[in-house]
Amino acid sequence: MIARRHLALATLPLLVRPAIAQTPWPARPVRLIVPFAPGGTTDVVGRIVAERLGARLGQPVVTENRAGAGATLGAQQVARAEPDGLTLLVSSSTSHGVSPALYPNIPYDALRDFTHVGMIARSPSVLLVNPASPYRNLGDFAAAARTAGEIRFAVAGVGTSSHLAGVRLAMALGVRTESIPYRGAGPALTDLMGGVVPAMLDSLPSCGPHVRSGALRALAVSGAERADSFAELPTLREGGLDVVSYAWFGISGPAGLPAPVVQRLSTELRAVLNDPPTRARLEELGGAPPDTTPESYTAFIRDELAAFAPLVRAAGLQPQ
């Protein structure tokens, strides 16, 4: 009898493992960490995707804002999470491009500590001023900056893509920069609309509605070509300034996500981005979604890390 009992206990793990393996994923709601304050581009893009992704997964995808330290606080939270696919990150050109070059003691490795699932969108920055500003176009802004010898602009955080776009713009103009950092694009846009700060560069998904409503005046975009949804806006290159800059956003999880979870996430994310209403919504905001895979998104991040590092050093940026 004892021998039989020991045999039954010994075979129990073999019986349990298949049951665990067959548990459908996700069995609980999924958290999607947005490493910026509400109202910014990362938040807007994350919420658009979260709603559609949750419908396809059969569980809610709940966005949580975890702002601070150039998106590194939210990214660190996901890097340290259990690799069960229930905690994901809206990774971006800030958290996985600029900040690794900016922060000397960053608490994660942008490649080793994450499983990258796919890109959501890529969006140019927009040069913005208050509607009461005397700058009616890019030429007015450039002439005033050269006369003053500097440009002052709000940024969604030190080392964000919009910050780097402003640095590139100042370099092209041959002037100094005075950046005014905020804890996200939302608060910065509010102060720009209130006349507290004179200018800002921000990605189209967060600033687009304010431009359409007339609450902000857009002077130019930083893309290589004009944005389809704002075709009237010239590029910085058209204004004689050799500046091309994009923000990008994607979905990542902690390192070690099981292959079936990665495959399911990749499949559902691509389905969401190819859904006509979602695609139209993102394109309307200026962020046309690409068709990416976990492998291509990982390779893209590797290339961006190599590109941002020399720019951060050349600009002399320091974390604040």
Side-chain angles (χ1 to χ4, degrees):
M1 179 69 68
I2 294 177
R4 289 178 182 175
R5 181 178 303 169
H6 280 298
L7 178 61
L9 291 174
T11 58
L12 183 59
L14 299 177
L15 298 174
V16 171
R17 285 193 195 103
I20 293 176
Q22 293 169 10
T23 300
W25 179 90
R28 303 196 306 275
V30 175
R31 294 193 303 161
L32 181 60
I33 304 300
V34 176
F36 285 101
T41 300
T42 313
D43 183 65
V44 172
V45 169
R47 291 179 187 276
I48 290 173
V49 171
E51 180 182 355
R52 277 70 167 186
L53 190 59
R56 294 194 63 88
L57 291 175
Q59 288 284 352
V61 176
V62 182
T63 56
E64 294 183 13
N65 296 88
R66 182 81 164 95
T72 63
L73 293 183
Q76 179 185 11
Q77 180 179 351
V78 175
R80 293 180 174 178
E82 289 294 321
D84 53 12
L86 298 178
T87 303
L88 302 173
L89 174 75
V90 182
S91 48
S92 69
S93 45
T94 300
S95 64
H96 284 72
V98 180
S99 287
L102 179 63
Y103 291 88
N105 298 311
I106 192 167
Y108 58 82
D109 183 287
L111 293 172
R112 186 183 62 242
D113 293 335
F114 294 88
T115 302
H116 299 298
V117 176
M119 186 183 289
I120 299 172
R122 191 180 73 159
S123 178
S125 293
V126 186
L127 178 58
L128 304 162
V129 294
N130 188 282
S133 168
Y135 311 134
R136 308 294 301 180
N137 51 51
L138 178 59
D140 292 344
F141 182 89
R146 286 178 172 132
T147 298
E150 70 172 10
I151 57 173
R152 297 179 63 246
F153 59 96
V155 297
V158 174
T160 57
S161 59
S162 59
H163 188 180
L164 267 292
V167 170
R168 286 171 166 161
L169 176 59
M171 288 178 171
L173 288 167
V175 300
R176 302 182 303 275
T177 62
E178 182 185 343
S179 58
I180 307 163
Y182 285 79
R183 288 179 61 84
L189 288 168
T190 297
D191 274 5
L192 181 60
M193 288 184 282
V196 178
V197 291
M200 181 179 177
L201 286 110
D202 187 41
S203 298
L204 273 173
S206 55
C207 73
H210 303 301
V211 173
R212 292 191 186 283
S213 71
L216 291 173
R217 179 185 299 155
L219 304 182
V221 295
S222 69
E225 300 174 348
R226 294 193 180 198
D228 291 341
S229 56
F230 289 87
E232 71 280 5
L233 291 180
T235 66
L236 292 171
R237 274 186 171 175
E238 288 180 74
L241 302 171
D242 189 16
V243 178
V244 175
S245 177
Y246 290 93
W248 45 265
F249 316 91
I251 297 293
S252 301
L257 284 187
V261 172
V262 177
Q263 183 59 49
R264 175 83 190 281
L265 277 171
S266 176
T267 299
E268 302 300 356
L269 176 62
R270 294 170 76 182
V272 165
L273 296 179
N274 285 313
D275 174 59
T278 305
R279 190 173 187 87
R281 171 67 173 146
L282 289 171
E283 289 180 341
E284 181 183 73
L285 294 172
D291 186 19
T292 61
T293 64
E295 294 77 17
S296 65
Y297 187 40
T298 301
F300 176 84
I301 290 175
R302 184 179 292 108
D303 290 344
E304 288 290 279
L305 286 167
F308 275 119
L311 178 61
V312 169
R313 289 195 297 268
L317 298 185
Q318 297 293 328
Q320 295 181 4

